[in-house]
Amino acid sequence: MPTRILPAVGDADAVRSLTTLLSQLPDAEPVAPVADSTQLVDTLGRLAAESVDELPEVVVVHERIGPVPALELIREVALRFPAVGVILVTTDASPGLFQAAMDYGARGLVALPLSYEELASRVQAVAQWSVGVRRHLGAGGDVFTGVGGTVVTVSGSKGGVGATLTAIQLALAAQASGPATALVDMDLQTGDIASYLDVQFRRSVVDLAAINDISPRVLADAVFRHDTGLSLLLAPGEGERGEEMTDRAARQIISALRSRYEVVVVDCGAQLSGAGAAAVEMADLALLVTTPDVVAVRGAKRTVRMWDRLQIRKAEETTVVVNRHSRAAEIQPPLIQKITGTAVAATAIPANFKELQSAVDAGRIHELENKGAVKQALWGLAAELGLMRAVEGAHRGGGRFRGDRGSVSFRRRRELGP
């Protein structure tokens, strides 16, 4: 059986030299190369959704791949697609980098300039390892889930549009319907999830920033278990500690959460940090919350354009959620969709702060009245996004609007329930 090899190389000259050598290997079947980290994970996720057998046996990652650094990309592939063997191609073949690559999950390292003999030897060894892993997984039944947990980020077009409320209720809805759910406050300086849920805590998400290998036990020590069943990773009580969180640390934390929970909801706030950018880039679904007013919609457009310029996320891969929606408003969701160039969630959240005020003031936002229009809309949104099983009456009073054809945009969508 031929060995399928997927090159992940951003440099055009390197692509040509690598694919030429790969095509000369015995029993090798190079597939179309991918140019960046996002395309690689998307491709593997799409293939894994069909079957483990559709995945390539070997992925070759070039050291200059981007925007995610090569080692971080290898870690994500190893965590999410454990039946795929990864080889790092690099100019630095030192023992230090070799050890680091192995620690991040690579199965081999090949030095540049490429040597046919070295490349052939590494590919053959990694392919044999991959086949053995798949044989083992196959003997154990339905063990491999492919893409791992679903990561949803919630960002605000500006402060005060309701991103935190949306993130909390989406996580509560997911948890209530069955999937193990984690809620992460990545609004590191001004995060309010602890206040909304009246939580007193010792550990915060930044306590994981300096840890190179986040084991299940280390993660469990940092997580606060809420009465609702949610696992919380909260923002630090001292806002200045947010500077300890690097984009690399954020990627590692989210990867660890994705491997332990079926749903991971991340509140990124309205200000873009390196950690927030990493979360949005890694997310299966990136939500951008706005209100139907000129200032907030301009903020949404500005955010979408900034994400695109920084190669964090494309507009068509972003879903806008309209909060405080009213049929009497001049700005309606179809217009927001046109202005931002994004998808717009079909479920809009109605304007009804009176329903929320007492729960917000008491820090009991998880105890909203089930019949309230805002809660019904937010839980209906969770069902629309595939985070929970649809429940009877979830959309009643949920602010649905007609005439919208913008479907929810997923890069790696996975339904969690029938």
Side-chain angles (χ1 to χ4, degrees):
M1 179 179 176
T3 300
R4 292 162 297 180
I5 309 169
L6 175 58
V9 188
D11 181 80
D13 292 335
V15 168
R16 283 192 293 270
S17 61
L18 180 58
T19 53
T20 298
L21 272 181
L22 290 175
S23 63
Q24 297 173 6
L25 300 181
D27 297 323
E29 184 182 304
V31 298
V34 295
D36 57 46
S37 57
T38 300
Q39 190 179 358
L40 173 62
V41 176
D42 283 349
T43 299
L44 294 176
R46 185 178 65 254
L47 295 172
E50 299 176 13
S51 169
V52 177
D53 293 334
E54 297 298 320
L55 288 166
E57 286 76 22
V58 180
V59 169
V60 180
V61 175
H62 193 277
E63 64 179 354
R64 292 200 298 270
I65 194 72
V68 177
L71 290 179
E72 296 297 331
L73 178 59
I74 290 170
R75 182 194 293 276
E76 183 171 1
V77 172
L79 284 171
R80 297 180 62 185
F81 312 100
V84 174
V86 185
I87 296 174
L88 174 64
V89 176
T90 176
T91 54
D92 179 8
S94 65
L97 181 63
F98 180 84
Q99 184 61 51
M102 298 304 106
D103 291 343
Y104 275 77
R107 302 302 307 177
L109 183 147
V110 176
L112 289 169
L114 293 172
S115 159
Y116 174 86
E117 290 76 13
E118 183 182 11
L119 184 62
S121 174
R122 283 290 88 212
V123 167
Q124 182 181 14
V126 173
Q128 289 176 350
W129 172 87
S130 176
V131 170
V133 169
R134 295 177 195 209
R135 187 179 301 116
H136 172 74
L137 293 176
D142 187 17
V143 178
F144 177 66
T145 58
V147 295
T150 297
V151 175
V152 182
T153 55
V154 183
S155 305
S157 63
K158 67 178 188 66
V161 296
T164 298
L165 173 67
T166 300
I168 292 172
Q169 288 298 323
L170 290 179
L172 288 170
Q175 176 68 36
S177 68
T181 303
L183 176 61
V184 185
D185 198 340
M186 204 64 80
D187 187 1
L188 298 172
Q189 292 186 337
T190 59
D192 282 324
I193 287 179
S195 297
Y196 273 83
L197 297 176
D198 193 24
V199 168
Q200 303 296 322
F201 61 99
R202 292 186 307 107
R203 305 291 300 275
S204 74
V205 66
V206 298
D207 291 317
L208 297 175
I211 299 175
N212 291 324
D213 185 13
I214 302 177
S215 66
R217 181 172 181 177
V218 169
L219 186 62
D221 287 342
V223 164
F224 181 92
R225 184 78 173 184
H226 193 257
D227 294 340
T228 58
L230 281 179
S231 295
L232 306 178
L233 261 182
L234 300 165
E238 305 82 17
E240 65 273 14
R241 290 198 63 200
E243 296 181 1
E244 299 174 27
M245 179 66 68
T246 64
D247 56 345
R248 176 184 178 277
R251 292 183 192 281
Q252 183 174 336
I253 291 168
I254 292 172
S255 294
L257 288 166
R258 193 199 293 271
S259 68
R260 301 289 296 175
Y261 295 91
E262 293 178 72
V263 177
V264 180
V265 180
V266 185
D267 178 8
C268 294
Q271 299 296 321
L272 184 68
S273 63
V280 172
E281 197 280 330
M282 291 181 69
D284 300 291
L285 172 62
L287 302 181
L288 181 60
V289 180
T290 187
T291 49
D293 58 83
V294 171
V295 175
V297 173
R298 283 179 176 171
K301 182 178 180 179
R302 183 169 57 244
T303 298
V304 169
R305 288 183 171 180
M306 177 173 61
W307 287 357
D308 186 57
R309 289 195 303 271
L310 296 176
Q311 297 183 359
I312 296 170
R313 204 170 191 93
K314 297 178 182 178
E316 59 269 23
E317 296 174 339
T318 302
T319 300
V320 167
V321 175
V322 181
N323 190 23
R324 300 173 198 151
H325 173 258
S326 169
R327 294 184 182 276
E330 292 186 13
I331 300 177
Q332 292 293 316
L335 178 59
I336 296 174
Q337 179 179 1
K338 182 177 180 180
I339 291 172
T340 60
T342 64
V344 173
T347 305
I349 316 305
N352 190 1
F353 185 72
K354 185 177 180 180
E355 174 189 336
L356 306 175
Q357 187 169 6
S358 60
V360 171
D361 291 343
R364 310 293 291 179
I365 202 67
H366 52 291
E367 296 180 355
L368 286 179
E369 175 60 42
N370 288 335
K371 295 182 179 179
V374 173
K375 180 173 180 177
Q376 285 198 3
L378 286 166
W379 284 45
L381 175 65
E384 176 190 338
L385 301 178
L387 303 181
M388 63 177 296
R389 295 175 179 87
V391 294
E392 185 177 355
H395 292 297
R396 293 176 188 171
R400 304 277 295 187
F401 56 89
R402 298 178 180 177
D404 172 50
R405 296 184 177 273
S407 61
V408 177
S409 174
F410 285 78
R411 290 194 303 170
R412 300 179 286 272
R413 179 172 181 174
R414 180 168 69 95
E415 295 292 342
L416 297 176

Coordinates of all heavy atoms in Angstrom, one line a residue, residues 185-263:
D185 N -11.6 32.3 30.4 CA -11.6 33.8 30.3 C -10.3 34.2 29.8 O -9.3 34.3 30.6 CB -11.9 34.4 31.7 CG -12.4 35.8 31.6 OD1 -12.1 36.5 30.6 OD2 -13.0 36.3 32.5
M186 N -10.2 34.5 28.5 CA -9.0 35.0 27.9 C -9.0 36.5 27.8 O -8.1 37.1 27.1 CB -8.8 34.3 26.5 CG -7.3 34.3 26.1 SD -6.2 33.3 27.1 CE -6.6 31.6 26.5
D187 N -9.9 37.2 28.4 CA -9.9 38.7 28.5 C -9.1 38.9 29.8 O -9.6 39.2 30.8 CB -11.3 39.2 28.7 CG -11.4 40.7 28.6 OD1 -10.3 41.3 28.4 OD2 -12.5 41.2 28.8
L188 N -7.7 38.9 29.6 CA -6.8 38.7 30.7 C -6.7 39.9 31.7 O -6.4 39.8 32.8 CB -5.4 38.4 30.2 CG -5.4 37.1 29.3 CD1 -4.0 37.0 28.7 CD2 -5.6 35.9 30.2
Q189 N -7.0 41.1 31.2 CA -6.9 42.3 32.1 C -8.3 42.7 32.7 O -8.3 43.2 33.8 CB -6.3 43.5 31.3 CG -4.9 43.2 31.0 CD -4.2 44.5 30.4 OE1 -4.9 45.3 29.8 NE2 -2.9 44.6 30.5
T190 N -9.4 42.4 32.0 CA -10.7 42.9 32.4 C -11.7 41.8 32.4 O -12.9 42.1 32.3 CB -11.1 44.1 31.6 OG1 -11.2 43.7 30.2 CG2 -10.2 45.3 31.7
G191 N -11.3 40.6 32.5 CA -12.3 39.5 32.4 C -13.2 39.5 33.6 O -12.8 39.7 34.7
D192 N -14.5 39.2 33.3 CA -15.5 39.3 34.4 C -16.3 38.0 34.6 O -17.3 38.0 35.2 CB -16.5 40.4 34.0 CG -16.0 41.8 34.3 OD1 -15.3 41.9 35.3 OD2 -16.3 42.7 33.5
I193 N -15.8 36.9 34.0 CA -16.6 35.6 34.1 C -16.8 35.3 35.6 O -17.8 34.8 36.1 CB -15.9 34.5 33.4 CG1 -16.2 34.7 31.9 CG2 -16.5 33.1 33.8 CD1 -15.5 33.6 31.0
A194 N -15.7 35.4 36.4 CA -15.8 35.1 37.8 C -16.9 36.0 38.5 O -17.6 35.5 39.4 CB -14.4 35.4 38.5
S195 N -17.0 37.2 38.1 CA -18.0 38.1 38.7 C -19.4 37.7 38.3 O -20.3 37.7 39.1 CB -17.7 39.6 38.3 OG -16.5 40.0 38.8
Y196 N -19.6 37.3 37.0 CA -20.9 36.9 36.5 C -21.4 35.7 37.2 O -22.6 35.5 37.4 CB -20.8 36.7 35.0 CG -21.0 37.9 34.2 CD1 -20.0 38.8 33.9 CD2 -22.3 38.2 33.6 CE1 -20.2 39.9 33.1 CE2 -22.5 39.3 32.8 CZ -21.4 40.2 32.6 OH -21.7 41.3 31.8
L197 N -20.4 34.8 37.6 CA -20.8 33.5 38.2 C -20.5 33.5 39.8 O -20.6 32.4 40.4 CB -20.0 32.4 37.6 CG -20.3 32.2 36.1 CD1 -19.4 31.1 35.5 CD2 -21.8 31.8 35.9
D198 N -20.2 34.6 40.3 CA -19.9 34.8 41.8 C -18.9 33.7 42.3 O -19.2 32.9 43.2 CB -21.2 34.7 42.5 CG -21.1 35.1 44.0 OD1 -20.1 35.9 44.3 OD2 -21.9 34.7 44.8
V199 N -17.8 33.7 41.7 CA -16.8 32.6 41.9 C -15.6 33.2 42.7 O -15.1 34.3 42.3 CB -16.3 32.0 40.6 CG1 -15.1 31.1 40.9 CG2 -17.4 31.1 40.0
Q200 N -15.2 32.6 43.7 CA -13.9 32.9 44.4 C -12.9 31.9 44.0 O -13.1 30.7 44.2 CB -14.1 32.9 45.9 CG -15.2 33.9 46.4 CD -14.9 35.3 46.1 OE1 -13.7 35.8 46.2 NE2 -15.9 36.1 45.7
F201 N -11.7 32.3 43.5 CA -10.8 31.3 43.0 C -9.4 31.6 43.4 O -9.0 32.8 43.7 CB -10.9 31.2 41.5 CG -10.6 32.5 40.8 CD1 -9.3 32.7 40.2 CD2 -11.5 33.6 40.7 CE1 -9.0 33.9 39.6 CE2 -11.2 34.8 40.1 CZ -10.0 34.9 39.5
R202 N -8.5 30.6 43.4 CA -7.1 30.7 43.7 C -6.2 30.7 42.4 O -5.4 31.5 42.2 CB -6.6 29.6 44.6 CG -7.1 29.6 46.0 CD -6.5 28.5 46.8 NE -6.5 27.2 46.2 CZ -5.5 26.6 45.7 NH1 -4.3 27.2 45.6 NH2 -5.6 25.4 45.2
R203 N -6.5 29.8 41.5 CA -5.7 29.6 40.3 C -6.4 30.3 39.1 O -7.6 30.3 39.0 CB -5.5 28.1 40.0 CG -5.0 27.3 41.1 CD -3.5 27.6 41.4 NE -2.7 27.4 40.3 CZ -2.1 26.2 40.0 NH1 -2.3 25.2 40.8 NH2 -1.3 26.1 38.9
S204 N -5.6 30.8 38.2 CA -6.1 31.4 37.0 C -5.4 30.8 35.8 O -4.5 30.0 35.9 CB -5.9 32.9 37.0 OG -4.5 33.2 36.8
V205 N -5.9 31.2 34.6 CA -5.3 30.7 33.4 C -3.9 31.0 33.2 O -3.1 30.3 32.6 CB -6.2 31.2 32.2 CG1 -6.0 32.7 32.0 CG2 -5.8 30.5 30.9
V206 N -3.4 32.2 33.8 CA -2.0 32.5 33.6 C -1.1 31.6 34.4 O 0.1 31.6 34.2 CB -1.7 34.0 34.0 CG1 -2.5 34.9 33.0 CG2 -2.1 34.3 35.4
D207 N -1.6 30.9 35.4 CA -0.8 30.0 36.2 C -0.3 28.8 35.3 O 0.7 28.1 35.7 CB -1.5 29.4 37.4 CG -1.8 30.5 38.4 OD1 -0.9 31.3 38.7 OD2 -2.9 30.6 38.9
L208 N -0.9 28.6 34.1 CA -0.5 27.6 33.2 C 0.5 28.1 32.2 O 1.1 27.3 31.4 CB -1.7 27.0 32.5 CG -2.7 26.3 33.4 CD1 -3.9 25.9 32.5 CD2 -2.1 25.1 34.0
A209 N 0.7 29.4 32.1 CA 1.5 30.0 31.1 C 3.0 29.6 31.0 O 3.6 29.4 30.0 CB 1.4 31.6 31.1
A210 N 3.5 29.3 32.2 CA 4.9 29.0 32.3 C 5.2 27.5 32.3 O 6.3 27.0 32.4 CB 5.6 29.6 33.6
I211 N 4.1 26.7 32.1 CA 4.3 25.2 32.2 C 4.4 24.7 30.8 O 3.6 24.9 29.9 CB 3.1 24.6 32.9 CG1 3.0 25.1 34.3 CG2 3.1 23.1 32.8 CD1 1.8 24.6 35.1
N212 N 5.5 24.0 30.5 CA 5.8 23.5 29.1 C 4.9 22.3 28.8 O 4.6 22.1 27.6 CB 7.3 23.2 29.0 CG 8.1 24.4 29.0 OD1 7.7 25.5 28.5 ND2 9.3 24.3 29.6
D213 N 4.6 21.4 29.7 CA 3.9 20.2 29.4 C 2.7 20.2 30.4 O 2.8 19.8 31.5 CB 4.8 19.0 29.6 CG 4.0 17.7 29.2 OD1 3.0 17.8 28.6 OD2 4.5 16.6 29.6
I214 N 1.5 20.5 29.8 CA 0.3 20.6 30.7 C -0.4 19.2 30.7 O -1.1 18.8 29.8 CB -0.7 21.6 30.1 CG1 0.0 23.0 30.0 CG2 -1.9 21.7 31.0 CD1 -0.9 24.1 29.4
S215 N -0.1 18.5 31.7 CA -0.7 17.1 31.9 C -2.1 17.3 32.4 O -2.5 18.3 32.8 CB 0.1 16.4 32.9 OG 0.0 16.9 34.2
P216 N -2.9 16.2 32.3 CA -4.3 16.2 32.8 C -4.4 16.6 34.2 O -5.3 17.4 34.6 CB -4.8 14.8 32.5 CG -4.0 14.3 31.4 CD -2.6 14.9 31.5
R217 N -3.4 16.2 35.0 CA -3.4 16.6 36.5 C -3.1 18.0 36.7 O -3.8 18.7 37.5 CB -2.4 15.7 37.2 CG -2.4 16.0 38.7 CD -1.5 15.0 39.5 NE -1.5 15.3 40.9 CZ -0.9 14.6 41.8 NH1 -0.2 13.5 41.4 NH2 -0.9 14.9 43.1
V218 N -2.2 18.6 35.9 CA -1.9 20.0 36.0 C -3.1 20.8 35.6 O -3.4 21.8 36.3 CB -0.6 20.4 35.2 CG1 -0.4 21.9 35.1 CG2 0.6 19.7 35.8
L219 N -3.7 20.4 34.5 CA -4.9 21.1 34.0 C -6.0 21.1 35.1 O -6.6 22.1 35.4 CB -5.3 20.5 32.7 CG -6.5 21.3 32.0 CD1 -6.1 22.6 31.6 CD2 -6.9 20.5 30.8
A220 N -6.2 19.9 35.7 CA -7.3 19.8 36.7 C -7.0 20.7 37.9 O -8.0 21.2 38.5 CB -7.4 18.3 37.1
D221 N -5.8 20.8 38.3 CA -5.4 21.7 39.4 C -5.8 23.2 39.1 O -6.1 23.9 40.1 CB -4.0 21.6 39.8 CG -3.6 20.2 40.4 OD1 -4.6 19.6 40.9 OD2 -2.4 19.8 40.4
A222 N -5.7 23.6 37.9 CA -5.9 25.0 37.5 C -7.4 25.3 37.3 O -7.8 26.4 37.3 CB -5.1 25.4 36.3
V223 N -8.2 24.3 37.0 CA -9.6 24.4 36.6 C -10.4 24.6 37.9 O -10.3 23.8 38.9 CB -10.1 23.3 35.8 CG1 -11.6 23.2 35.7 CG2 -9.5 23.4 34.4
F224 N -11.4 25.5 37.8 CA -12.4 25.6 38.9 C -13.7 24.9 38.5 O -14.2 25.2 37.4 CB -12.7 27.1 39.2 CG -13.7 27.3 40.3 CD1 -13.3 27.5 41.6 CD2 -15.0 27.4 40.0 CE1 -14.2 27.7 42.6 CE2 -16.0 27.6 41.1 CZ -15.5 27.8 42.4
R225 N -14.1 24.0 39.3 CA -15.3 23.3 39.0 C -16.6 24.0 39.5 O -16.7 24.1 40.7 CB -15.3 21.9 39.6 CG -16.4 21.0 39.2 CD -16.3 20.4 37.8 NE -17.3 19.4 37.5 CZ -17.4 18.8 36.4 NH1 -16.5 19.0 35.5 NH2 -18.4 17.9 36.2
H226 N -17.4 24.5 38.6 CA -18.6 25.3 39.0 C -19.7 24.4 39.4 O -19.8 23.2 38.9 CB -19.0 26.3 37.9 CG -19.9 27.3 38.3 ND1 -21.3 27.2 38.0 CD2 -19.8 28.4 39.0 CE1 -21.9 28.3 38.5 NE2 -21.0 29.0 39.1
D227 N -20.7 24.9 40.1 CA -21.8 24.1 40.5 C -22.7 23.6 39.3 O -23.3 22.6 39.4 CB -22.8 24.9 41.4 CG -22.1 25.2 42.8 OD1 -21.2 24.5 43.1 OD2 -22.6 26.2 43.5
T228 N -22.6 24.3 38.2 CA -23.3 23.9 37.0 C -22.7 22.8 36.3 O -23.3 22.2 35.4 CB -23.4 25.1 36.1 OG1 -22.1 25.6 35.7 CG2 -24.2 26.3 36.7
G229 N -21.5 22.4 36.7 CA -20.7 21.4 36.0 C -19.7 21.9 35.1 O -18.8 21.2 34.6
L230 N -19.7 23.2 34.8 CA -18.7 23.9 33.9 C -17.3 23.8 34.6 O -17.2 24.0 35.8 CB -19.1 25.3 33.7 CG -20.1 25.6 32.6 CD1 -20.3 27.2 32.5 CD2 -19.8 25.1 31.3
S231 N -16.3 23.6 33.8 CA -14.9 23.7 34.2 C -14.5 25.1 33.8 O -14.5 25.4 32.6 CB -14.1 22.6 33.5 OG -14.5 21.3 34.0
L232 N -14.0 25.9 34.7 CA -13.7 27.3 34.5 C -12.2 27.5 34.6 O -11.5 27.0 35.5 CB -14.4 28.2 35.5 CG -15.9 28.1 35.6 CD1 -16.4 29.1 36.7 CD2 -16.6 28.4 34.3
L233 N -11.6 28.2 33.6 CA -10.2 28.7 33.6 C -10.4 30.2 33.6 O -10.7 30.8 32.5 CB -9.4 28.2 32.5 CG -8.5 27.0 32.7 CD1 -7.7 26.7 31.5 CD2 -7.5 27.3 33.9
L234 N -10.1 30.9 34.7 CA -10.5 32.3 34.9 C -9.4 33.2 34.6 O -8.2 32.8 34.7 CB -11.1 32.5 36.3 CG -12.4 31.6 36.5 CD1 -12.7 31.6 38.0 CD2 -13.5 32.1 35.7
A235 N -9.7 34.5 34.3 CA -8.7 35.5 34.2 C -8.1 35.8 35.5 O -8.7 35.7 36.6 CB -9.3 36.8 33.5
P236 N -6.8 36.3 35.6 CA -6.2 36.6 36.9 C -6.9 37.8 37.6 O -7.4 38.7 36.9 CB -4.8 36.9 36.5 CG -4.8 37.4 35.1 CD -5.9 36.6 34.4
G237 N -6.9 37.7 38.9 CA -7.4 38.8 39.7 C -6.6 40.1 39.5 O -7.2 41.2 39.6
E238 N -5.3 40.0 39.2 CA -4.5 41.1 39.0 C -4.2 41.3 37.5 O -3.5 40.4 36.9 CB -3.1 40.9 39.7 CG -3.2 40.6 41.2 CD -3.5 39.2 41.5 OE1 -3.3 38.3 40.6 OE2 -4.0 38.9 42.6
G239 N -4.8 42.3 36.9 CA -4.8 42.4 35.5 C -3.4 42.5 34.8 O -3.2 42.0 33.7
E240 N -2.5 43.0 35.6 CA -1.1 43.1 35.0 C -0.5 41.7 34.8 O 0.4 41.6 34.0 CB -0.2 43.9 36.0 CG 0.1 43.3 37.3 CD -1.0 43.7 38.4 OE1 -2.1 44.2 38.0 OE2 -0.7 43.5 39.6
R241 N -1.0 40.7 35.4 CA -0.5 39.4 35.2 C -0.8 38.8 33.8 O -0.3 37.8 33.4 CB -1.0 38.4 36.3 CG -0.4 38.6 37.7 CD -0.7 37.4 38.5 NE 0.1 36.2 38.0 CZ -0.2 35.0 38.3 NH1 -1.2 34.7 39.1 NH2 0.5 34.0 37.8
G242 N -1.7 39.5 33.2 CA -2.1 39.1 31.8 C -0.9 39.1 30.9 O -0.9 38.4 29.9
E243 N 0.1 39.9 31.2 CA 1.3 40.0 30.3 C 2.1 38.7 30.4 O 2.9 38.4 29.5 CB 2.2 41.1 30.8 CG 1.5 42.5 30.6 CD 2.4 43.6 31.1 OE1 3.6 43.4 31.5 OE2 2.0 44.8 31.0
E244 N 1.8 37.8 31.3 CA 2.6 36.5 31.4 C 2.1 35.6 30.3 O 2.8 34.6 30.0 CB 2.4 35.9 32.8 CG 2.9 36.8 33.9 CD 2.5 36.2 35.3 OE1 2.4 34.9 35.4 OE2 2.4 36.9 36.3
M245 N 0.9 35.8 29.8 CA 0.3 34.9 28.8 C 0.8 35.2 27.4 O 0.4 36.2 26.8 CB -1.2 35.0 28.9 CG -1.9 34.0 27.9 SD -1.7 32.3 28.2 CE -2.6 32.2 29.8
T246 N 1.6 34.4 26.8 CA 2.1 34.5 25.5 C 1.2 33.8 24.5 O 0.3 33.0 24.9 CB 3.5 34.0 25.3 OG1 3.5 32.5 25.6 CG2 4.5 34.6 26.3
D247 N 1.3 34.1 23.2 CA 0.5 33.4 22.3 C 0.9 31.9 22.3 O 0.0 31.0 22.1 CB 0.6 34.0 20.9 CG 2.1 34.0 20.4 OD1 3.0 33.9 21.2 OD2 2.3 34.2 19.2
R248 N 2.1 31.6 22.5 CA 2.5 30.2 22.5 C 1.9 29.4 23.7 O 1.4 28.3 23.6 CB 4.1 30.1 22.7 CG 4.6 28.7 22.9 CD 6.1 28.7 23.1 NE 6.6 27.3 23.3 CZ 6.6 26.7 24.5 NH1 6.0 27.3 25.5 NH2 7.1 25.5 24.6
A249 N 1.8 30.1 24.9 CA 1.2 29.5 26.0 C -0.3 29.3 25.8 O -0.9 28.3 26.2 CB 1.4 30.4 27.3
A250 N -0.9 30.3 25.1 CA -2.4 30.2 24.8 C -2.7 29.0 23.9 O -3.6 28.3 24.2 CB -2.9 31.5 24.2
R251 N -1.8 28.8 22.9 CA -2.0 27.7 22.0 C -1.9 26.3 22.8 O -2.7 25.4 22.6 CB -1.0 27.7 20.9 CG -1.2 28.9 19.9 CD -0.1 28.8 18.8 NE -0.1 30.0 18.1 CZ -1.0 30.3 17.1 NH1 -2.0 29.5 16.9 NH2 -1.0 31.5 16.5
Q252 N -0.9 26.3 23.7 CA -0.7 25.0 24.4 C -1.9 24.8 25.4 O -2.3 23.6 25.5 CB 0.6 25.2 25.2 CG 0.9 23.9 26.0 CD 2.3 24.0 26.7 OE1 3.1 24.7 26.3 NE2 2.5 23.2 27.7
I253 N -2.4 25.8 26.0 CA -3.5 25.6 26.9 C -4.8 25.2 26.2 O -5.5 24.3 26.6 CB -3.8 27.0 27.7 CG1 -2.6 27.2 28.7 CG2 -5.1 26.9 28.4 CD1 -2.6 28.6 29.2
I254 N -5.0 25.8 25.1 CA -6.2 25.5 24.3 C -6.1 24.1 23.7 O -7.1 23.3 23.7 CB -6.5 26.5 23.2 CG1 -6.9 27.9 23.8 CG2 -7.6 26.1 22.2 CD1 -6.9 29.0 22.9
S255 N -4.9 23.7 23.3 CA -4.7 22.3 22.8 C -5.0 21.3 23.9 O -5.6 20.3 23.7 CB -3.3 22.2 22.2 OG -3.1 23.0 21.1
A256 N -4.5 21.6 25.1 CA -4.7 20.7 26.2 C -6.2 20.6 26.6 O -6.7 19.5 26.8 CB -3.9 21.2 27.4
L257 N -6.9 21.7 26.5 CA -8.3 21.7 26.8 C -9.1 21.0 25.7 O -10.0 20.2 26.0 CB -8.9 23.2 26.9 CG -8.5 23.9 28.2 CD1 -8.8 25.4 28.0 CD2 -9.2 23.4 29.4
R258 N -8.7 21.2 24.5 CA -9.4 20.5 23.4 C -9.3 19.0 23.5 O -10.2 18.3 23.1 CB -8.8 21.0 22.1 CG -9.6 20.6 20.8 CD -8.7 20.6 19.6 NE -8.3 21.9 19.2 CZ -8.9 22.8 18.4 NH1 -10.1 22.4 17.9 NH2 -8.4 23.9 18.1
S259 N -8.2 18.5 24.1 CA -8.0 17.1 24.2 C -8.7 16.5 25.4 O -8.9 15.3 25.5 CB -6.5 16.7 24.3 OG -6.0 17.2 25.6
R260 N -9.3 17.3 26.3 CA -9.9 16.9 27.5 C -11.4 17.2 27.5 O -12.2 16.5 28.3 CB -9.3 17.5 28.7 CG -7.8 17.3 28.9 CD -7.6 15.8 29.3 NE -8.1 15.5 30.6 CZ -8.1 14.3 31.1 NH1 -7.5 13.3 30.5 NH2 -8.6 14.1 32.3
Y261 N -11.9 18.1 26.7 CA -13.3 18.5 26.7 C -13.9 18.5 25.3 O -13.2 18.7 24.3 CB -13.4 19.9 27.3 CG -13.0 20.1 28.7 CD1 -11.7 20.4 29.1 CD2 -13.9 19.8 29.8 CE1 -11.3 20.5 30.4 CE2 -13.6 19.9 31.1 CZ -12.3 20.2 31.4 OH -11.9 20.3 32.7
E262 N -15.2 18.2 25.3 CA -15.9 18.1 24.0 C -16.2 19.5 23.5 O -16.2 19.7 22.3 CB -17.2 17.3 24.2 CG -17.0 15.9 24.5 CD -18.3 15.2 24.6 OE1 -19.0 14.9 23.6 OE2 -18.6 14.8 25.8
V263 N -16.4 20.5 24.4 CA -16.6 21.9 24.0 C -15.8 22.8 24.8 O -15.7 22.6 26.0 CB -18.1 22.3 24.1 CG1 -18.3 23.7 23.8 CG2 -19.0 21.4 23.3

